[in-house]
Amino acid sequence: MSLRRNGHACAIALAIACSLATPLVSAQSPAANRPAERPFLGGFLQESRILYPLTIGKWVARDEHLYEQAEAGASVRYQHGDLRDRWIDVYFYPAGIVPDERVREMAKGTVDGIRALPGNAGLPTGELEASRIEIGSDKDRRPSTMYSAGFMLARDGKRYASAMTLLAKDLYYLKGRYSGEEATHTPEGLHAELKDFTVRLVRESRLYSTGECWMPPPIVQVAVPDPKAPGALLDIGKEGTAQAVGFADRVKAVDAASTQAKLTQFMAYRASGRWIDGCHPPEDMTPDVPEGMRELRFEYRVPPERSDGTTPRLRSPRSGVG
């Protein structure tokens, strides 16, 4: 797939991506205990796979583009049927672990940045709206907040109705933009349509990443693991005898290579609160791509030693942050 984008859209995408430079760290993240100088891209995140649907209702993915700057991610353009003047641009770019208030700040910054562009001063801008939605698979649904707004903008002497959506999912930001000429569209109409589209996109897309975000506890082989030891979270046994005992920082097992040890490792990882949604083991980085889906691949290299990370990495030395 190819992509045609005007300089206006690319400039906004890069400006938004580069505004991610303020470090934030989740207290539950394994990365929180590592030195701050460890890189975000190429360290905390080393590879990502994004599977997105080629069709959403009458919307069809026509163009796709991976930006040269790694932190800017990729964009996909959806066209409404055969109507060449109706399209939605979707942006995927790495976020790390971000609290809800940071997502709101990003959304507000996007709207404020559009309002500040030449010719947009004084045009109507709707209030930023927060919508609670459920994301994830049917078996693992979790709440998220989508921020959105409708507004007017001016470009090349014309006025356009426009809308924006933004939310974070599985270590990435997902942003939608939709614009149409004032004569045939209203900000309110585009806003409602884009929200519905984004909810479907988010629920149908699948995001997998790996790197230093994946830090399950190590497995230590011992003669007799004690399921009643201080700090024990769970144990798996056979014939009334514990074969593996999981702790927040380790797994003790009779056989370190056994199925019981691997299962205990996974279960202890989740039970200890160290699990990060969207982060997977390296062996999960070759997901099957179902019919009707397309895969985006990102491989993030560690910045050169002593590099300030401006290109192709962010200037801020983030670690598991957004």
Side-chain angles (χ1 to χ4, degrees):
M1 300 175 77
S2 62
L3 181 77
R4 296 175 296 278
R5 291 285 185 274
N6 59 42
H8 173 84
C10 292
I12 291 177
L14 182 57
I16 293 169
C18 291
S19 71
L20 304 180
T22 304
L24 296 173
V25 178
S26 168
Q28 292 186 341
S29 166
N33 298 319
R34 292 202 297 275
E37 65 270 11
R38 299 302 290 272
F40 170 49
L41 298 183
F44 185 76
L45 293 183
Q46 296 170 2
E47 295 182 47
S48 295
R49 304 288 185 264
I50 296 177
L51 276 58
Y52 67 86
L54 291 172
T55 60
I56 298 179
K58 294 183 179 181
W59 296 92
V60 180
R62 299 293 189 189
D63 297 299
E64 174 189 288
H65 179 68
L66 271 70
Y67 292 100
E68 181 179 354
Q69 296 87 348
E71 61 270 23
S75 58
V76 178
R77 172 163 288 183
Y78 285 84
Q79 182 179 318
H80 192 281
D82 295 325
L83 301 177
R84 296 185 177 275
D85 63 340
R86 291 188 65 188
W87 64 80
I88 291 174
D89 287 332
V90 175
Y91 301 86
F92 300 91
Y93 48 97
I97 303 169
V98 288
D100 184 68
E101 59 267 24
R102 182 60 189 274
V103 183
R104 184 183 186 283
E105 290 175 5
M106 286 291 298
K108 184 177 184 301
T110 301
V111 176
D112 289 346
I114 294 170
R115 185 188 297 121
L117 290 172
N120 290 346
L123 294 181
T125 301
E127 294 295 325
L128 192 65
E129 178 182 304
S131 304
R132 297 290 286 177
I133 64 173
E134 296 289 326
I135 62 175
S137 65
D138 291 337
K139 295 180 181 179
D140 189 26
R141 284 290 178 97
R142 59 190 187 276
S144 181
T145 302
M146 176 177 68
Y147 292 94
S148 61
F151 42 86
M152 295 294 299
L153 57 82
R155 187 185 304 158
D156 300 327
K158 293 184 178 180
R159 285 165 56 111
Y160 295 84
S162 191
M164 178 279 304
T165 55
L166 179 73
L167 77 160
K169 174 188 177 181
D170 294 339
L171 303 175
Y172 271 75
Y173 282 116
L174 280 71
K175 180 167 70 76
R177 283 296 314 277
Y178 184 16
S179 298
E181 292 190 15
E182 182 184 28
T184 53
H185 298 281
T186 65
E188 296 78 12
L190 295 189
H191 185 195
E193 194 172 357
L194 181 59
K195 286 195 300 179
D196 290 341
F197 172 92
T198 302
V199 170
R200 291 192 59 180
L201 172 73
V202 170
R203 288 179 176 170
E204 296 180 27
S205 297
R206 307 176 190 175
L207 293 81
Y208 306 83
S209 295
T210 196
E212 293 178 2
C213 61
W214 181 255
M215 292 186 65
I219 300 175
V220 180
Q221 190 157 312
V222 297
V224 182
D226 181 5
K228 297 183 180 180
L233 297 173
L234 58 102
D235 66 272
I236 294 179
K238 183 172 63 175
E239 298 178 355
T241 302
Q243 298 295 304
V245 178
F247 301 82
D249 60 348
R250 67 199 182 282
V251 171
K252 292 184 176 182
V254 173
D255 180 359
S258 67
T259 301
Q260 293 97 330
K262 297 293 185 182
L263 182 58
T264 303
Q265 182 189 47
F266 175 78
M267 294 174 66
Y269 193 30
R270 301 207 70 161
S272 65
R274 293 158 53 91
W275 175 274
I276 299 173
D277 288 319
C279 187
H280 297 262
E283 54 266 30
D284 283 2
M285 288 297 102
T286 54
D288 293 332
V289 182
E291 185 176 354
M293 304 283 284
R294 181 171 170 83
E295 180 184 59
L296 286 168
R297 287 179 171 240
F298 300 95
E299 295 185 2
Y300 300 117
R301 299 177 182 176
V302 176
E305 188 176 359
R306 299 187 182 88
S307 168
D308 67 358
T310 52
T311 299
R313 297 292 175 257
L314 294 176
R315 184 181 300 275
S316 174
R318 303 182 302 167
S319 179
V321 300

